[in-house]
Amino acid sequence: MTNSLPSTDRSLPIALLRAREKVMGPIRALLSDAELTEQQWRVLRVVQESGDIDPTQISERACLLLPSLTRILQKLDDRGLIERQKDLEDRRRQIIRITPAGEQIIDDNLGASLAVIAQTRAKMGAEKYEALLDLLNELNRSEPSKAD
């Protein structure tokens, strides 16, 4: 067959999934100890990094669908890790901010998180690690192809 698919070792979607699982395994273990899901962690990190932010922006930056984000925000709010308030100019819009308890959970896990990153960086080498991030960010900024 001349038009066969490339092997799964040369498939970008599969390679990205495999790499994601390799990177996320140790992070999941860390988050499990903190009683957080990886999605909750991403939301906390985005909110911490961004300051006051609306759910649509969180959804885009944390790579989550809005319906999933709504449930995640509720759980984080119930735990006191974020607070939500109505926008004073547009009452339909919510503003999300991290609470001191949310900041603390990030601080408590920062060292272990940085250690996981350092380990991955050391395995790959700093130059390859930075090049990979640059390439992935370039891919993210590019227009989607019809195969996407």
Side-chain angles (χ1 to χ4, degrees), residues 9-145:
D9 288 342
R10 301 303 302 166
S11 167
L12 181 59
I14 293 174
L16 288 170
L17 287 168
R18 287 176 178 157
R20 180 184 191 284
E21 290 308 307
K22 187 76 148 178
V23 170
M24 288 307 300
I27 292 173
R28 277 192 202 103
L30 159 82
L31 297 177
S32 176
D33 292 343
E35 298 180 357
L36 288 172
T37 66
E38 62 186 88
Q39 295 85 359
Q40 290 169 338
W41 177 256
R42 286 198 320 254
V43 169
L44 283 176
R45 289 279 294 114
V46 165
V47 174
Q48 180 199 41
E49 183 177 83
S50 303
D52 292 0
I53 186 171
D54 72 48
T56 301
Q57 293 170 314
I58 296 171
S59 171
E60 291 167 3
R61 293 180 188 174
C63 301
L64 292 165
L65 298 174
L66 273 171
S68 297
L69 178 63
T70 300
R71 289 187 298 276
I72 292 166
L73 290 175
Q74 185 61 53
K75 287 182 181 183
L76 293 173
D77 191 16
D78 291 347
R79 288 184 60 185
L81 303 177
I82 60 153
E83 56 186 34
R84 302 188 273 188
Q85 62 182 340
K86 296 280 185 200
D87 185 319
L88 297 176
E89 295 173 18
D90 182 350
R91 302 295 290 171
R92 297 169 296 175
R93 186 173 169 241
Q94 284 187 36
I95 300 297
I96 311 299
R97 73 173 45 101
I98 196 164
T99 64
E103 291 278 0
Q104 189 62 54
I105 216 163
I106 290 174
D107 289 347
D108 290 348
N109 293 284
L110 186 60
S113 179
L114 291 173
V116 169
I117 292 167
Q119 186 177 30
T120 302
R121 187 181 175 99
K123 279 183 187 176
M124 293 184 71
E127 192 172 308
K128 284 183 179 180
Y129 182 87
E130 292 300 322
L132 177 60
L133 285 174
D134 291 342
L135 289 169
L136 291 171
N137 285 326
E138 182 180 326
L139 179 63
N140 189 44
R141 288 187 298 271
S142 69
E143 292 294 319
S145 68

Side-chain angles (χ1 to χ4, degrees), residues 1-8 10-11:
M1 187 173 188
T2 58
N3 291 332
S4 64
L5 289 170
S7 74
T8 57
R10 301 303 302 166
S11 167

